[in-house]
């Protein structure tokens, strides 16, 4: 293991994503350049061949995720990185990966929108697109880091979750974390947990590609290893063949959801600060959580019982934990760089148990600690 | 037919294609090529897009992948990149490969990546009921061109050649043994190969364009196809409306996954090497 790896160094968020992906075993990247995610592609282009991996710059974002899915079907851990407009173009194949249960990670370093918006300005406007961007009903796993070191750790987790549950996992970054440089000490490679997709039994003849194990996840054979089977985005039976039987379809769709829903303790990551006695809770994620942390500490210094709840897993929505926050706090403040995409979800869950207030900025600049502190003072 | 059964998921038959459809002939030609080349079914991946022809992947006993509309070549690119040792064959239709998938088509040809594209050209969107495609001939009718198509169609073989494909062939379902030979050459070619198979859709195309059934369409192919050797002796007026068939282009060129292997070697990759973090990161904000 490299000594360099364990040394303190200055690292950018996007660089940490690339390093995390490589540490998790990713050896394939296909992508299309778009600000502010491009450094991830540039680093992968340099690093992957030196590890015997592959990098390809495709002709567009649809092709990028298509190639990622193709590579993953051969057993290669695969990733792509994009930003808002490119993420929109990838939705079709995100749905395919969900339906065909192909592990892959899609990094979306969010930028201001709608449309081409402000390419270099940060935003958190893709929270709902990450959840509901594709057609049809399928679950998603969306993770959002708030620091450079966490970008590394969460990328590793994203790859692991994709493999373990055979789902596309979305790493929802923002421009601030993507371009931020911080001092980090990365773990030794031997300390990085690596999870591989569930392997099928050696009995090739008995393989049913979509017959789930006890976890709800079907073991996955890789193309070229002797298991000949069919992969399709059409609704399919346990043999992978297109099916129209309503019972088969319902069973499939419910299983796709339940393999996530039944494993929430393994999938939900979060952070709590001063929540035990908090009367006012700030619920924030990504770069907004950095401002929220500062605001909460300043409020505490003023004697206000404020706390921070930071979901790292944005989707599935951490309902039980948010309800726990609402049990103590009379008000939950949700600062976001959008007009309330996640706040509405908090309101849906909390209902009358607590007041929910938003602090929203859509001008391409951060929600500042002072903005949040002012909101805290108003509600106590 | 029985000799080809080992390549089929027989239990999935009957197939979805209409009476008179030429897709079965194209598929038969492909499987004969696979048999003559003795391809290993475990080491062959067949990728389809969306449309009538693309549904064939469900009937084939290989590693098969039925993708999103137009993206089959892009999926295949990822497979070939990750596993250059696998044979990768893409089967799609004219709408899938040349309209929604046109960008992937030209870039796969440009890269000369070792994929064989068997393009079922029935001049129509069959599965959605007969809308015009970029390969519907001008003046022909479709549900979305009730007064006749006014857009010139692609010469898709010529497009593949100028984009960089190292092998291009074309045949018809009437000339199915020629088609088998071209598919064999395409699979054996190290690089991007296009084999265009002119096939008949009596249901969505023929009925609207004065060809009432599959037989009539086959006979039309017989009368209008011109072998490449013969075409070279004919002038443009004589060739108007004709289908030139045969090996249209074959030119060895560097292949993409080979080039990438060389790039890996140049980058300093050593088998069994550990991860080394670069001392210089990308320093652009």
């Amino acid at each position: 293991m490299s000594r360099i790896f364990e040394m303190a160094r200055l690292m950018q968020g996007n660089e940490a994503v690339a390093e995390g992906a490589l540490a998790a075993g990713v050896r394939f990247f296909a992508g299309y350049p778009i600000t502010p995610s491009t450094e991830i592609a540039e680093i992968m282009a340099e690093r992957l061949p030196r590890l015997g991996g592959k990098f390809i710059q495709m002709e567009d974002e649809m092709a990028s995720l298509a190639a990622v899915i193709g590579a993953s079907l051969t057993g290669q851990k695969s990733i792509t990185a994009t930003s808002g407009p490119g993420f929109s173009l990838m939705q079709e194949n995100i749905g395919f990966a969900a339906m065909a249960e192909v592990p892959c990670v899609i990094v979306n370093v969010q930028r201001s929108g709608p449309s081409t918006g402000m390419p270099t300005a940060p935003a958190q406007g893709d929270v709902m697109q990450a959840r509901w961007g594709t057609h049809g009903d399928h679950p998603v796993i969306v993770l959002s880091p708030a620091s450079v070191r966490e970008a590394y750790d969460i990328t590793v987790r994203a790859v692991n979750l994709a493999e373990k549950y055979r789902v596309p996992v979305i790493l929802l970054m923002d421009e601030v974390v993507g371009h931020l440089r911080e001092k980090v000490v990365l773990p030794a490679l031997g300390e990085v947990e690596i999870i591989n997709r569930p392997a099928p039994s050696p009995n090739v003849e008995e393989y049913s590609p979509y017959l789930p194990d006890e976890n709800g996840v079907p073991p996955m054979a890789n193309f070229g290893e002797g298991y000949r089977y069919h992969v399709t985005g059409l609704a399919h039976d346990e043999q992978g063949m297109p099916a129209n039987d309503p019972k088969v379809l319902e069973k499939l769709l419910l299983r796709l959801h339940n393999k996530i829903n039944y494993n929430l303790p393994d999938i939900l990551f979060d952070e709590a600060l001063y929540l035990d006695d908090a009367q006012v809770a700030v619920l924030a994620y990504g770069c907004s959580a950095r401002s929220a942390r500062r605001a909460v500490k300043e409020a505490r210094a003023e004697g206000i019982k404020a706390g921070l709840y930071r979901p790292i897993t944005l989707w599935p929505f951490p309902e039980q934990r948010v309800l726990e926050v609402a049990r103590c706090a009379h008000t939950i403040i949700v600062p976001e760089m959008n007009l309330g995409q996640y706040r509405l979800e908090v309101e849906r869950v909390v209902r009358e148990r607590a007041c929910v207030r938003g602090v929203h900025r859509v001008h391409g600049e951060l929600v500042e600690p002072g903005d949040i502190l002012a909101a805290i003072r108003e509600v106590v | 037919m029985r000799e080809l059964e080992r390549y089929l998921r027989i239990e999935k038959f009957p197939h979805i294609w209409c009476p008179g459809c030429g897709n079965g002939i194209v598929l038969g030609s492909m499987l004969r090529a696979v048999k003559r080349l003795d391809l290993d079914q475990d080491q062959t991946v067949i990728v389809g897009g969306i449309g009538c022809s693309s549904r064939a992947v469900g009937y084939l006993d290989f590693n098969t992948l039925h993708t999103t509309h137009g993206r089959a070549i892009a999926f295949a690119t990822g497979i070939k990149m990750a596993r250059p040792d696998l044979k990768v064959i893409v089967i799609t239709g004219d709408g899938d490969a040349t309209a929604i998938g046109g960008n992937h088509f030209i870039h796969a040809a440009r890269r000369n990546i070792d994929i064989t594209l068997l393009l079922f050209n029935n001049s129509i969107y069959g599965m959605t009921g007969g809308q015009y495609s970029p390969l519907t001939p001008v003046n022909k009718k479709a549900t979305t061109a009730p007064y006749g198509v006014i857009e010139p169609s692609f010469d898709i073989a010529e497009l593949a050649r100028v984009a960089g494909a190292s092998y291009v062939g074309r045949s018809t379902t009437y000339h199915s043994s020629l088609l088998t030979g071209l598919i064999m050459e395409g699979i054996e070619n190290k690089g991007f190969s296009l084999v265009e198979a002119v096939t008949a859709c009596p249901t969505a195309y023929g009925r609207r364009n004065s060809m009432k059934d599959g037989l009539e369409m086959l006979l039309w192919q017989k009368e209008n196809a011109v072998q490449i050797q013969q075409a070279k002796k004919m002038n443009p007026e004589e060739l108007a409306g004709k289908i030139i068939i045969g090996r249209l282009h074959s030119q060895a060129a560097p292949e993409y996954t080979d080039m990438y292997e060389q790039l890996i070697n140049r980058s300093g990759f050593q088998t069994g090497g550990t991860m080394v973090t670069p001392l210089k990161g990308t320093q652009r904000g």
Side-chain angles (χ1 to χ4, degrees), chain B residues 226-235 239 244-245:
Chain B
V226 178
Q227 297 276 352
I228 177 77
Q229 299 85 344
Q230 194 187 340
K232 283 176 181 162
K233 299 175 202 154
M234 295 165 67
N235 62 43
L239 282 172
I244 301 173
I245 59 172

Side-chain angles (χ1 to χ4, degrees), chain A residues 37 132 152 191 197 376:
Chain A
S37 75
W132 295 111
Y152 177 90
E191 293 167 14
R197 58 192 62 175
I376 294 172

Side-chain angles (χ1 to χ4, degrees), chain A residues 99-293:
Chain A
M99 186 58 139
E101 299 181 74
V102 184
C104 55
V105 173
I106 300 102
V107 184
N108 174 7
V109 187
Q110 295 168 93
R111 66 191 231 180
S112 181
S115 189
T116 30
M118 289 179 276
T120 56
Q124 295 177 314
D126 298 349
V127 173
M128 279 296 171
Q129 188 186 191
R131 174 65 194 92
W132 295 111
T134 72
H135 57 284
D137 292 297
H138 65 85
V140 291
I141 297 177
V142 179
L143 308 175
S144 182
S147 70
V148 174
R149 169 61 201 260
E150 196 173 76
Y152 177 90
D153 294 335
I154 295 301
T155 303
V156 172
R157 281 185 184 166
V159 176
N160 284 343
L161 289 173
E163 291 285 316
K164 188 171 184 180
Y165 296 108
R166 293 187 59 180
V167 289
V169 175
I170 294 157
L171 184 66
L172 198 62
M173 299 268 288
D174 51 61
E175 190 273 345
V176 176
V177 176
H179 281 166
L180 186 71
R181 284 192 167 82
E182 290 182 306
K183 177 182 159 186
V184 294
V185 180
L186 297 184
L189 280 177
E191 293 167 14
V192 175
E193 184 189 22
I194 292 180
I195 297 174
N196 297 318
R197 58 192 62 175
S201 91
N203 190 339
V204 171
E205 297 302 319
E206 284 177 12
Y207 182 55
S208 292
Y210 291 98
L211 182 67
D213 64 13
E214 66 280 359
N215 233 3
V217 184
M220 183 168 178
N222 301 319
F223 279 2
E225 291 180 354
Y227 300 80
R228 296 199 296 267
Y229 69 101
H230 187 54
V231 179
T232 179
L234 287 168
H236 48 268
D237 60 22
E238 288 175 347
Q239 289 303 316
M241 302 311 293
N244 291 318
D245 180 347
K247 284 187 194 137
V248 172
L249 307 193
E250 187 175 47
K251 193 175 167 192
L252 169 66
L253 264 292
L254 292 178
R255 181 177 63 73
L256 291 182
H257 281 269
N258 288 339
K259 73 178 179 179
I260 302 304
N261 291 340
Y262 292 169
N263 291 290
L264 289 182
D266 190 43
I267 292 169
L268 294 180
F269 308 111
D270 55 16
E271 183 197 352
L273 180 70
Y274 308 134
L275 274 181
D276 291 343
D277 63 343
Q279 290 170 352
V280 181
V282 181
L283 188 155
Y285 54 91
C287 65
S288 297
R290 301 173 72 98
S291 295
R293 181 190 309 275

Side-chain angles (χ1 to χ4, degrees), chain A residues 330-334 343-344 346-347 350-351 354-358:
Chain A
H330 59 70
T331 304
I332 299 178
I333 295 169
V334 186
R343 170 178 54 81
L344 286 170
V346 176
E347 284 177 3
V350 167
R351 300 195 185 192
C355 290
V356 178
R357 285 192 52 160

Side-chain angles (χ1 to χ4, degrees), chain A residues 55-129:
Chain A
F55 167 92
I56 185 168
Q57 183 169 306
M58 295 296 286
E59 52 273 13
D60 59 35
E61 284 88 350
M62 283 94 73
S64 299
L65 189 51
V68 159
I69 293 169
S72 182
L73 282 166
T74 73
Q76 202 73 273
K77 290 185 184 179
S78 304
I79 193 169
T80 186
T82 187
S83 185
F87 190 57
S88 299
L89 292 175
M90 286 183 182
Q91 294 296 338
E92 173 192 45
N93 283 335
I94 292 175
F96 182 95
M99 186 58 139
E101 299 181 74
V102 184
C104 55
V105 173
I106 300 102
V107 184
N108 174 7
V109 187
Q110 295 168 93
R111 66 191 231 180
S112 181
S115 189
T116 30
M118 289 179 276
T120 56
Q124 295 177 314
D126 298 349
V127 173
M128 279 296 171
Q129 188 186 191

Side-chain angles (χ1 to χ4, degrees), chain A residues 5 9 39 42 47 49-50 52 54-55 57 59 67 70 74 92-93 96 224 227-232 241, chain B residues 12 42-43 58 61 63-64 66 68 71 75 78-79 81-82 104 111 260 267 269 276-278 282 284-285:
Chain A
F5 228 70
R9 54 177 296 188
E39 292 85 359
E42 290 171 341
R47 300 269 280 127
R50 290 158 58 183
K54 308 280 174 67
F55 167 92
Q57 183 169 306
E59 52 273 13
T74 73
E92 173 192 45
N93 283 335
F96 182 95
Y227 300 80
R228 296 199 296 267
Y229 69 101
H230 187 54
V231 179
T232 179
M241 302 311 293
Chain B
K12 299 304 167 197
D42 290 333
Q43 302 300 312
D61 191 15
N63 303 280
T64 52
H66 181 227
T68 44
R71 319 289 169 221
F75 278 79
I79 293 167
M81 270 289 273
H104 313 310
R111 293 183 186 109
Y260 202 90
S267 75
F269 169 64
V276 179
T277 309
T282 306
R284 215 181 67 197

